Amino acid sequence: MINIDLESIFQKKSNHNNFAHIIIPTQIVPCELKIIKKNITKIWKKFISSKRDNFITLLENIGIQYKDLNNRKCCYCEEKIDFIDFFYLNSSLGIGKVLEIWQNNLILFYCNKCQLINDPF
Ligand SMILES: [Zn+2]
């Protein structure tokens, strides 16, 4: 058990600036953020490719009913696009943003095959 003397901490607070040793300055620079996002993407991709069914359970545990999500088809060939595959490719955006895009009926999707045909690069 950790024994913390709260009274002494509050007494020190009254002396001003004595909380400085508790507060650790955090600086996140853009390149670190990029690395963090890359690592998060790796974790999601590993999780989805190894435990696809568990991903559906995870969604349900955070209040997202997989069966209630929009059904999507490729706007060119009409092939079904699965939310999990869409999230797999876009996990760096975060689940909230990916879900927002997925549920927006104004946004059209195309499948990987049609992307290859239509992508000039
Ligand atoms: Zn297609």
Side-chain angles (χ1 to χ4, degrees), residues 12 36 53 63 67 80 107 109 117:
K12 285 179 184 175
I36 291 168
D53 289 341
K67 62 179 175 27
K80 185 182 184 276
I107 300 173
F109 295 81
I117 294 166

Side-chain angles (χ1 to χ4, degrees), residues 14-114:
S14 65
N15 293 335
H16 301 292
N17 299 329
N18 283 332
F19 265 113
H21 69 283
I22 297 172
I23 300 167
I24 301 163
T26 306
Q27 271 189 324
I28 298 176
V29 293
C31 67
E32 286 174 327
L33 193 60
K34 195 175 177 182
I35 292 167
I36 291 168
K37 280 181 101 176
K38 229 176 184 177
N39 288 337
I40 291 170
T41 301
K42 272 186 198 170
I43 292 167
W44 276 122
K45 286 187 172 183
K46 190 176 174 186
F47 179 68
I48 291 168
S49 55
S50 65
K51 297 170 183 170
R52 196 174 173 95
D53 289 341
N54 288 1
F55 181 71
I56 294 170
T57 305
L58 184 142
L59 288 175
E60 288 171 356
N61 286 344
I62 59 172
I64 300 164
Q65 298 304 311
Y66 177 70
K67 62 179 175 27
D68 295 339
L69 294 175
N70 276 351
N71 291 317
R72 293 294 198 155
K73 287 181 176 178
C74 173
C75 62
Y76 295 114
C77 71
E78 303 235 321
E79 185 175 304
K80 185 182 184 276
I81 301 171
D82 194 292
F83 175 77
I84 298 173
D85 297 325
F86 181 69
F87 182 74
Y88 182 89
L89 295 172
N90 297 289
S91 60
S92 65
L93 297 174
I95 196 141
K97 194 68 186 171
V98 172
L99 196 62
E100 189 183 320
I101 293 167
W102 183 262
Q103 294 297 98
N104 187 333
N105 291 325
L106 298 174
I107 300 173
L108 299 176
F109 295 81
Y110 49 86
C111 71
N112 286 339
K113 286 181 226 157
C114 292

